[in-house]
């Protein structure tokens, strides 16, 4: 399914790209003969071979498990990277907001899962308009309260096509989601009684129940996922619906598959992780089960930042030109990979590099940084260079992707 891929003309707006690339369309970057050394630090890059490895690893695993993937598009908001996921066999693309859903629909995604409750009546009406304009389009969203169902029902009264709604079940200490199976049943009944809506399944997010891979965390995740199965089994769906049973699957895809996949005979089991395509050198590298736990190859980080030394004001301290406006910092600070040391703090435009004993850099040197959490990396960049090999002396720029944040 070919998407509409943004192909803007590069200019000064494209952070990290050199002045010599101004006037090129993004699609022309591959043939421009650029190397990493031509880019302007700080700069974010994507490693194409790592992307391909991660995609093939996870999609092959999912097929063996009998689960479907609707990777979270909000991770990159890059239709060119969504295209790779759809080409690999993705069931659809997940998003977090109605606006992101509109971006996906405009790009040509035919199955869009809004992994959130829609409580804006105007936005809900627009979803109805999108569905009416394209008979092949499917949009699904969540509801975790009868009040949310009421907003959706009012907005979609008299709609040409019903909006598919999944009951979101949470749990004590979790994020959103009804706090009991019984409350989930009441929400489902309200959806069934709303003429502009269609009950389409059960969903939830297991991430808050497992901060690590310790046995207690895995048990808590399994217990939560089991409540999704219980609610699904209690519900009576409309006869024209094959329900969706969905979990996040970012840090615990193996557990989501183990608990939910036995229901695949009467439901589509859909995991929504978007982080696997990019992976990282931080949170997901610690949490991901891919490797021995899943009898697969480990995933590889496909993103790196490159930052230049701008100052060495003290012995053992170097200041880099990448800061909070350039690299993610919400889960972990960046990790220097081309010199021994650690990043101790970030300002808006600076990183503090505490050098290990015996390690040295000079003003003007470029340091490669491993990053944590792709979901807060791409939002800082409107265009991202794709390179052939981050370990090369001077990697070739073999393309670029645009983001839609």
């Amino acid at each position: 399914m070919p998407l509409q891929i943004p192909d803007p003309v590069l200019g000064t707006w494209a952070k990290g790209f050199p002045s010599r690339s101004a006037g090129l369309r993004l699609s022309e970057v591959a043939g421009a003969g650029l190397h990493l050394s031509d880019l302007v630090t700080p700069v974010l890059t994507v490693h194409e071979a790592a992307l391909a490895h991660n995609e093939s690893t996870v999609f092959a695993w999912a097929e063996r498990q009998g689960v479907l993937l609707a990777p979270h598009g909000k991770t990159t908001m890059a239709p060119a990277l969504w295209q790779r996921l759809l080409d690999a066999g993705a069931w659809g693309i997940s998003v977090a907001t109605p606006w992101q859903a509109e971006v996906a629909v405009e790009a040509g995604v035919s199955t869009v899962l809004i992994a959130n409750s829609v409580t804006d009546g105007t936005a809900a009406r627009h979803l109805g308009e999108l569905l009416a304009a394209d008979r092949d389009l499917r949009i699904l969203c969540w509801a975790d309260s009868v009040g949310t169902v009421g907003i959706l029902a009012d907005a979609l009264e008299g709609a040409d096509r019903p909006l598919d709604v999944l009951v979101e079940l949470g749990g004590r200490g979790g994020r959103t989601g009804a706090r009991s199976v019984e409350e989930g049943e009441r929400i489902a009944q309200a959806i069934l009684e709303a003429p502009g809506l269609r009950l389409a399944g059960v969903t939830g997010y297991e991430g808050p129940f497992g901060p690590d891979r310790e046995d207690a965390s895995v048990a808590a995740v399994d217990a939560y996922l089991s409540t999704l199965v219980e609610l699904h089994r209690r519900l009576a769906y409309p006869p024209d619906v094959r329900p969706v049973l969905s979990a996040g699957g970012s840090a615990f895809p193996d557990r989501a598959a183990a608990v939910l996949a036995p229901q695949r005979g009467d439901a589509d089991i859909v995991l929504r992780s978007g982080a696997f395509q990019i992976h990282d050198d931080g949170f997901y590298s610690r949490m991901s089960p891919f490797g021995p736990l899943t009898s697969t190859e480990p995933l590889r980080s496909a993103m790196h930042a490159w930052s230049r030394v701008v100052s060495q004001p003290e012995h053992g301290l170097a200041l880099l030109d990448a800061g909070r406006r350039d690299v993610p910092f919400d889960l972990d600070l960046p990790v220097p990979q081309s010199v021994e040391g650690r990043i101790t703090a970030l300002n808006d435009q600076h990183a503090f590099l505490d050098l290990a004993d015996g390690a040295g850099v000079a003003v003007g040197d470029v340091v490669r940084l491993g990053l944590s959490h792709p979901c807060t990396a791409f939002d800082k960049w409107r265009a991202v260079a794709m390179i052939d090999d981050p370990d090369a002396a001077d990697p070739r720029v073999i393309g670029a992707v645009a983001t839609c944040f």
Side-chain angles (χ1 to χ4, degrees), residues 279-288:
H279 199 52
D280 71 5
D281 285 306
F283 176 76
Y284 287 108
S285 69
R286 298 190 300 270
M287 293 291 288
S288 174

Side-chain angles (χ1 to χ4, degrees), residues 13-16 40-45 303-308 310 320-330 332 334 346-351 369-384:
W13 62 267
K15 182 172 66 171
V40 181
T41 61
V43 64
L44 179 72
T45 62
M303 65 176 179
H304 300 90
W306 308 80
S307 183
R308 197 174 302 272
V310 294
L320 310 181
D321 64 359
R324 294 184 176 207
R325 296 173 186 259
D326 312 300
V327 294
F329 56 90
D330 55 319
D332 302 285
L346 294 177
N347 293 157
D348 286 353
Q349 304 288 180
H350 293 92
L369 299 174
L371 306 176
S372 180
H373 201 194
C375 296
T376 52
F378 282 75
D379 62 326
K380 298 168 177 59
W381 300 86
R382 296 171 67 188
V384 182

Side-chain angles (χ1 to χ4, degrees), residues 6 30 43 90 93 100 102 116 119 150 156 159 206 225 252 265 279 294 306 331 334 345 358 360 369 371 392 399-400:
V43 64
I93 295 293
Q100 291 174 0
E102 187 170 356
N116 215 339
T119 57
L156 291 156
E206 71 283 356
L225 292 167
F252 297 94
H279 199 52
T294 53
W306 308 80
L331 294 181
L369 299 174
L371 306 176

Side-chain angles (χ1 to χ4, degrees), residues 15 26 29 31 135 182 386:
K15 182 172 66 171
L26 209 66
V29 168
R135 309 300 296 189
E182 292 72 23
M386 187 175 293

